[in-house]
Amino acid sequence: LPVRCDHGVDEDVQALFARVESEQGRCDILVNNVFAIPSGELFGTAFWKQPIGFWDTMHRVGLRSHYVASVYAAPLLLKSQGLIANISSFGGASYQVNVAYGVGKAGVDRLARDMARDLEPHGVCSVALYPGVVRTERVLGGELPFSTEVSESPEFTGRAIAALFADPKRMDKTGCVHVV
């Protein structure tokens, strides 16, 4: 069921989960995958030469939106002993794109770990996932300087999330970072 939702607007996210609760009564899997990479010189430019707005964009629509969606989804996930899959990046563990990107992705990793602490007693699993280079529209269009020679489809990560949810031992993986 497609629903228009601006993840930079908390009320949109709240309305989305109110609709899920009204129509479904629960949520099995939350995939926090929203992220905004602003256009401009992100790669190879020192952080002090980039607009402050790069930081704000990547953290408002990224780390913050993961948190907000998780807040509204958590009561529904408790009903199904569900899964929160926070899409992160190898940039959370080592420098890849720029300072704002790395800090945001490291924050996603920490968010998954800390949420797991609160959710584990309720049987809800929270993880951070590192896909490789994903063939998104911007990557395929050449806007982002990533090679697609070794890359994966968005479906590949989706299959990994479905397999994790189906794993009867998924709680053994909660609070950790996993490579797709």
Side-chain angles (χ1 to χ4, degrees):
L1 176 68
V3 176
R4 183 171 175 79
C5 179
D6 181 341
H7 282 273
V9 178
D10 295 351
E11 293 78 15
D12 280 9
V13 179
Q14 184 178 23
L16 169 65
F17 286 102
R19 182 171 175 181
V20 169
E21 182 173 30
S22 169
E23 293 179 10
Q24 304 300 317
R26 68 181 211 196
C27 178
D28 294 330
I29 302 171
L30 170 64
V31 180
N32 282 319
N33 190 33
V34 64
F35 192 69
I37 297 178
S39 297
E41 294 299 319
L42 290 169
F43 304 91
T45 303
F47 72 90
W48 62 90
K49 295 180 181 179
Q50 295 175 346
I52 297 290
F54 279 14
W55 175 278
D56 296 335
T57 297
M58 284 191 252
H59 294 172
R60 181 182 57 83
V61 181
L63 180 57
R64 185 175 193 285
S65 62
H66 284 36
Y67 178 78
V68 172
S70 298
V71 165
Y72 291 120
L76 303 175
L77 290 159
L78 296 175
K79 295 177 183 181
S80 64
Q81 294 189 317
L83 167 68
I84 299 177
N86 296 286
I87 305 302
S88 187
S89 157
F90 290 98
S94 64
Y95 187 90
Q96 283 197 334
V97 176
N98 64 36
V99 172
Y101 179 86
V103 170
K105 293 303 184 177
V108 169
D109 298 349
R110 180 62 186 252
L111 178 70
R113 185 173 69 219
D114 288 359
M115 287 191 310
R117 183 178 172 99
D118 288 348
L119 293 167
E120 187 172 21
H122 304 282
V124 177
C125 179
S126 171
V127 298
L129 296 176
Y130 287 5
V133 173
V134 178
R135 292 185 299 272
T136 65
E137 291 87 355
R138 288 179 80 185
V139 169
L140 291 173
E143 184 180 343
L144 302 174
F146 297 123
S147 169
T148 57
E149 189 173 314
V150 179
S151 62
E152 56 198 54
S153 68
E155 291 85 3
F156 183 78
T157 300
R159 289 183 185 122
I161 293 166
L164 178 60
F165 180 70
D167 183 348
K169 295 185 179 184
R170 74 173 173 261
M171 290 307 293
D172 293 346
K173 298 168 179 69
T174 195
C176 298
V177 172
H178 301 280
V179 176
V180 171

